[in-house]
Amino acid sequence: MAGLDAGHLVRKPITLAPDSTVLEARDLMIKYNVSRIVVSRDGRAAGLLTEKDIARFLYKEVPARSLGEITLDEVMTRNPVTVGEDADLKSCAQTMLDRGISSLLVVDAKKKLKGIFTKSDLVDAYVQHYAGAHKVGKFMTEKVWTVSPDEPIHMAMLLMNMHRVSRIVVVRFGRPVGIIASRDLLPVGAVFGTGTVGSYWTARPDIIAKKRQQWFIPSGIKTAFVASDVMTRDPLVARVNDDLADAAYAMVRNRISGLPVVGRKNRLVGIVTKTDVIRALAA
């Protein structure tokens, strides 16, 4: 990947002004199938608005105004991380890992906004330029949190919450038969008033206090849903000796963020994610 820098990956961002509304941002996200909007002022990045920012704001309090009355300036993440057009992709990957972020804004020497690229763009670049460089086994995560198909769904919720992970592998006799991502639990979380990776869908102390008085899922309901009800069945898998670029391609092509890794007799031995691919690129 010699000579490849941030300028090669940059894409034109979807932008709005700080005084635009959350409703406008939401409509653009849906229209262009994107998960983030760059908030710009005079050609410079003033902030970044993601789907998570909107959800965090709405669940923090019950807004007294409609989405069309709330401005981006109130909700956006300020001082987004930026890189220059000549930043090499290895350093960009390391920056994402160090800062725990999924996108970088690209600016020129005068700090004018040039564009944006995401973790998925870096993974795609890895696919195109690093075929044959690494095996899946070198960068996979060996520790995988699992549940069985008939375990109550709240067990997957608890594991995600306790270990700050966004996916759980469903196993039967040591073999992966499904995978549960945090987005699969959104409908369940909405019904039960619980979070999936954080804690609760609200930051309001009065609501949290009430939720803490009951079990993670209300008594009488907690056994109604099991892992097999929400899991994605027969998940794509990778093998230890597979080319990491092939695993990365499968993630990009299928718009997923992780693959269970299997060894002999198709038994689960780890998991490989987009973040692991970024680690390989940074290394």
Side-chain angles (χ1 to χ4, degrees):
M1 198 178 285
L4 203 58
D5 54 34
H8 288 84
L9 294 189
V10 67
R11 292 182 288 109
K12 183 179 179 180
I14 307 299
T15 63
L16 284 172
D19 58 356
S20 299
T21 68
V22 172
L23 181 61
E24 292 176 275
R26 188 211 67 136
D27 290 346
L28 284 179
M29 287 179 180
I30 294 172
K31 179 179 180 179
Y32 293 106
N33 190 29
V34 296
S35 60
R36 65 203 74 224
I37 298 286
V38 178
V39 185
S40 64
R41 181 188 291 113
D42 299 326
R44 289 179 168 81
L48 186 67
L49 182 78
T50 67
E51 291 174 324
K52 289 183 179 180
D53 291 325
I54 295 175
R56 190 180 301 115
F57 179 82
L58 294 178
Y59 288 121
K60 184 176 182 180
E61 58 183 85
V62 179
R65 298 163 293 160
S66 69
L67 296 185
E69 297 173 314
I70 302 170
T71 66
L72 303 189
D73 190 56
E74 302 174 66
V75 185
M76 69 183 187
T77 298
R78 300 178 185 277
N79 302 316
V81 181
T82 63
V83 296
E85 295 175 275
D86 58 350
D88 67 275
L89 296 193
K90 179 178 178 179
S91 66
C92 291
Q94 192 62 56
T95 297
M96 283 190 180
L97 294 172
D98 291 342
R99 302 293 290 270
I101 55 179
S102 298
S103 63
L104 289 170
L105 301 186
V106 180
V107 297
D108 63 17
K110 296 182 178 180
K111 302 300 180 182
K112 288 283 188 177
L113 178 67
K114 301 297 291 185
I116 187 173
F117 65 91
T118 67
K119 180 187 292 186
S120 294
D121 294 321
L122 275 182
V123 172
D124 191 42
Y126 181 92
V127 170
Q128 296 182 47
H129 299 278
Y130 265 111
H134 304 110
K135 299 293 186 183
V136 166
K138 182 176 181 179
F139 287 96
M140 73 178 190
T141 301
E142 294 185 6
K143 181 62 179 178
V144 189
W145 301 104
T146 65
V147 295
S148 63
D150 57 353
E151 282 194 80
I153 196 62
H154 79 281
M155 183 57 67
M157 288 179 166
L158 285 170
L159 288 173
M160 287 184 183
N161 182 41
M162 290 170 58
H163 302 292
R164 310 293 294 179
V165 295
S166 57
R167 61 193 58 83
I168 299 290
V169 179
V170 184
V171 298
R172 179 186 288 119
F173 304 122
R175 300 180 179 89
V177 296
I179 193 165
I180 300 174
S182 56
R183 60 179 175 271
D184 297 321
L185 297 176
L186 288 176
V188 179
V191 171
F192 296 139
T194 58
T196 54
V197 183
S199 50
Y200 297 94
W201 279 126
T202 177
R204 287 178 53 181
D206 55 333
I207 295 179
I208 291 177
K210 290 180 180 179
K211 289 298 178 184
R212 284 175 175 167
Q213 293 173 6
Q214 62 187 39
W215 187 233
F216 197 76
I217 290 180
S219 177
I221 300 294
K222 61 185 178 182
T223 58
F225 294 92
V226 294
S228 60
D229 291 329
V230 298
M231 72 183 188
T232 298
R233 298 175 181 273
D234 302 319
L236 293 173
V237 300
R239 295 186 175 276
V240 174
N241 289 320
D242 284 351
D243 187 345
L244 182 60
D246 289 339
Y249 178 75
M251 293 183 220
V252 172
R253 182 65 182 266
N254 293 280
R255 298 177 68 88
I256 55 179
S257 297
L259 299 173
V261 182
V262 297
R264 295 182 60 186
K265 298 183 178 180
N266 292 323
R267 291 188 174 274
L268 182 69
V269 296
I271 191 167
V272 62
T273 68
K274 285 184 177 179
T275 300
D276 294 321
V277 178
I278 299 301
R279 287 198 301 113
L281 180 55

